[in-house]
């Protein structure tokens, strides 16, 4: 696992060999210990070079070993031995030197990096800290501020010429650490690793090396066994696992060949269409951007150019303006490889667009819809080739958000799914293949979550109380602030389409019951008052002016809630954070289990990555399904039963059969759930 050779008579060359990223597994560590000893004891060897095979230095400690009984030589003494060597040791870095890989290089006496090499300490993203001396050696090498930045963010750096380095000059160390700690605590949203990273670097800056190393070890011991580290390491593998998609009909990522896409079209240049156009052009594709309204087309062209220019400036590249041609005529898409329809969320309009596309596009063109909830199969049925139709559900802003739901209908071909998944990957998205149902995975699970939040308001909570509980849990925004941001009218339109929201009192049924189940009309009532959220300056909160983002508590809303409760004979009671979390999160999780039961998502990892990358679920809690497994499935079941008994007219709180089945099978760990789901399906 570490090859030894002697080159040019006097140089001992050690090559790390552990594909694909030369991770420091027990065998690699043993190989390094053995080959270093060999080089140092060979009198002909005057210097030692350590490199990695296949163009990558080292991706760090082997993360797969973390959950196991670790054996083999320990990293810290191994790196110490290299640093203490009486012959010069050089790290020759090509590709990535990350985590333990960079710590190994830091233990060497010199480092030479290829100009395209990527160096970094991403441990914090795994809920850990660089505990092989990284928090102690890096500040000594590059100074405290630069080291703090690298260690607390985990972001990698390109290798640079030394003349381009900023000169590290911390003036007031205490103020510096206090400032960084404050910033880190705010952005960490409850994650403990970034805070521990600052504490470890502080030890490097204020204590002798040996004491600093002790502190590093102590902090790592706390992190290593934490639930957060487990969650973050789960996310690392889950993010990669979702690219290995499968469909209930047996089609899979490794047997379905994508078709290359060179030229794409976007139909409809509202907010979503603009973002999708930018994302495609930045990937290097030629894009035809179509908008039939002349004024909207001009506005979109200006907005898209601005987005491309700002993005290019940030990345230090030329803006891909020439990749896009704009047209108000849908006929312009005749010769593209793939079309993404992004018109207004209206089935009638979308059907018309699909009928037009079916007659304009050349045979074989993939037709994709960016709908966030509508029936992809119904749109496919408007075309002659339903097998070429899939959903590509982007999240706003589409050129920024990492998530893409690729929605297959019962007739979508494996090649169409493979092509959309590959295109998503090229755009830098985490693409997750999901089945077709109202809301797909993400928005379907959002419905019970939001419903519970509305019910909590009826029962005595305020938007502030609900949002605070969710934000303390780690969401960047609570449900009501989020609703104000995205616009209350969006959900209102959907509810009207579903026959739920009717202006004024509904005919022939109590105001808080719809279609035989409990319903809260609160959101509809706010919309009837023109309170659409940030865009109108009023929603669940008030804002200084329309478009402002600073939410302020709104006395009007509080008295409106009081009036509403009085009108419906509801008595406000005290609601605590735990009840908010239990009801909102367990209702959402319960729907996640139903989605698995229905075969809409292939596994819990798919759901978790959708929530982490698309809905702000705190990554250090691993996603809703991972969270359920950490809380304990028995407890989730018991709480759902408790709340369902208290609210029997709320079907979303009724524990679903997969959850019962999993608990009855002894609550197996999450990676075993697929077996239980398979058995359930085979019995249906
Ligand atoms: C009781 C308590 C005691 C406590 C004390 C315990 C002390 C323990 C001592 C530990 C000392 C600390 C050591 C160190 O500080 C810790 C670390 O080094 S943690 C690891 C840090 N490194 C990373 O996070 C890098 C992760 N990898 C990447 O970012 C990328 O993979 C890459 C290297 C940039 C390459 O990217 P790509 O080319 O795109 O390839 P993929 O990402 O698709 O990866 C390919 C394949 O490889 C798997 N893989 C990648 N890195 C690792 C790894 N470090 N370990 C294991 N496996 C890895 C990846 O999962 C892919 O496989 P797949 O999942 O697709 O099968």
């Amino acid at each position: 696992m570490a090859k030894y050779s002697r080159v040019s008579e006097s140089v001992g060359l050690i090559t790390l060999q552990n594909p694909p990223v030369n991770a420091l597994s027990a065998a690699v560590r043993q190989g390094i210990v053995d080959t270093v000893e060999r080089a140092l004891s060979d009198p002909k060897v005057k210097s030692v070079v350590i490199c990695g095979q296949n163009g990558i230095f080292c991706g760090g400690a082997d993360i797969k070993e973390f959950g196991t009984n670790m054996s083999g030589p320990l990293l810290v003494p191994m790196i110490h031995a290299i640093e203490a060597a009486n012959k010069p040791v050089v790290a020759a870095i090509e590709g990535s030197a990350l985590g333990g890989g960079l710590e190994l290089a830091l233990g060497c006496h010199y480092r030479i990096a290829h100009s395209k090499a990527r160096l970094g300490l991403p441990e914090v993203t795994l809920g850990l800290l660089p505990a092989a001396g990284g928090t102690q050696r890096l500040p000594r090498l590059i100074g405290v501020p630069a080291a703090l930045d690298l260690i607390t963010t985990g972001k990698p750096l390109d290798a640079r010429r030394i003349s381009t380095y900023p000169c590290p000059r911390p003036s007031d160390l205490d103020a510096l650490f206090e400032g960084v700690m404050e910033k880190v605590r705010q952005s960490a949203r409850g994650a403990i690793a970034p805070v521990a990273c600052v504490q470890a670097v502080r030890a490097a800056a204020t204590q002798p090396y040996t004491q600093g190393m002790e502190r590093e070890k102590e902090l790592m011991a706390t992190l290593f066994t934490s639930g957060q580290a487990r969650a973050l390491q789960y996310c690392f593998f889950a993010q990669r696992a979702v690219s290995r998609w499968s469909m209930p009909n047996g089609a899979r990522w490794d047997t379905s060949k994508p078709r290359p896409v060179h030229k794409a079209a976007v139909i409809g240049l509202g907010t979503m269409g603009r973002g999708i156009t930018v994302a495609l052009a930045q990937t290097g594709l030629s894009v035809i951007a179509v908008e039939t309204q002349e004024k909207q087309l001009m506005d979109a062209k200006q907005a898209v150019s601005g987005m491309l220019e700002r993005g290019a400036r940030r990345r230090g590249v030329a803006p891909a303006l020439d990749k896009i041609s704009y047209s108000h005529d849908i006929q312009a898409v005749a010769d593209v490889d793939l079309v993404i329809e992004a018109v207004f969320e209206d089935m009638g309009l979308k059907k018309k667009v699909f009928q037009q596309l079916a007659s304009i596009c050349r045979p074989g063109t993939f037709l994709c819809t960016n709908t966030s909830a509508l029936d992809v199969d119904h749109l496919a049925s408007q075309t002659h080739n339903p097998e070429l139709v899939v959903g590509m559900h982007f999240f706003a802003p589409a050129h920024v958000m990492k998530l893409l739901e690729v929605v297959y209908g019962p007739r979508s071909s494996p090649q169409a799914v493979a092509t959309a998944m590959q295109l998503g990957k090229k755009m830098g998205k985490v693409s997750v293949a999901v089945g077709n149902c109202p809301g797909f995975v993400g928005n379907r699970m959002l419905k019970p979550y939001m419903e519970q939040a509305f019910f909590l308001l009826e029962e005595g909570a305020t938007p502030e109380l609900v949002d605070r509980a969710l934000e303390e849990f780690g969401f960047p925004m609570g449900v009501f602030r989020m609703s104000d941001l995205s616009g209350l009218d969006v959900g209102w339109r959907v509810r009207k389409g579903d026959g739920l929201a009717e202006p004024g009192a509904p005919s022939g049924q109590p105001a808080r019951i719809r279609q035989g189940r409990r319903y809260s009309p609160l959101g509809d009532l706010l919309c009837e008052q023109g309170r659409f959220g940030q865009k109108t300056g009023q929603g669940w909160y008030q804002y200084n002016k329309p478009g402002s983002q600073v939410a302020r508590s709104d006395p009007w809303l509080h008295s409106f809630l009081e009036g509403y409760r009085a009108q419906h004979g509801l008595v406000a009671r005290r609601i605590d954070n735990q009840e908010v979390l239990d009801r909102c999160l367990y209702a959402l999780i319960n729907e996640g289990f139903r989605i698995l039961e229905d075969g809409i998502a292939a596994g819990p990892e798919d759901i978790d990555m959708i929530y982490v990358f698309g809905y702000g679920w705190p990554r250090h809690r691993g996603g809703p399904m991972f969270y359920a497994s950490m809380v304990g499935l028995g407890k989730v079941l018991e709480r759902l039963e408790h709340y369902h008994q208290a609210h029997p007219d709320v079907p979303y709180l009724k524990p679903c059969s997969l959850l019962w089945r999993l608990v009855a099978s002894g609550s197996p760990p999450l990676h075993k759930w697929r077996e239980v789901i398979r058995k359930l399906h085979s019995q249906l």
Side-chain angles (χ1 to χ4, degrees), residues 233-243 430 605-606 608-609:
Q233 289 158 31
Y234 161 78
C235 285
F236 175 85
F237 291 113
Q239 184 177 341
R240 285 150 180 84
V242 297
S243 62
V430 173
E605 298 85 354
D606 299 281
D608 285 338
M609 291 306 96

Side-chain angles (χ1 to χ4, degrees), residues 20-21 23 56 59-64 66 70 75 96 98-100 103 122-123 126 128-132 220-221 224-225 236-237 240 244:
V21 301
I56 174 161
D62 186 341
I63 307 168
K64 290 193 186 94
F66 287 170
M70 289 168 74
L75 264 186
S96 297
L98 298 177
E103 292 176 295
E123 284 85 345
L126 301 170
L128 304 174
L129 56 70
M220 179 63 154
F224 201 72
T225 49
F236 175 85
F237 291 113
R240 285 150 180 84
R244 298 188 279 270

Side-chain angles (χ1 to χ4, degrees), residues 20-38:
V21 301
N22 299 324
L24 294 165
S25 62
V28 172
R29 298 196 301 276
Q30 189 62 57
I32 296 173
V33 168
D34 294 346
T35 51
V36 166
E37 251 175 48
R38 190 165 158 195

Side-chain angles (χ1 to χ4, degrees), residues 415-428:
Q415 188 178 47
V417 177
T419 304
M421 289 293 283
Q422 173 163 287
L423 181 58
K425 187 172 180 193
K426 272 195 178 166
M427 285 193 266

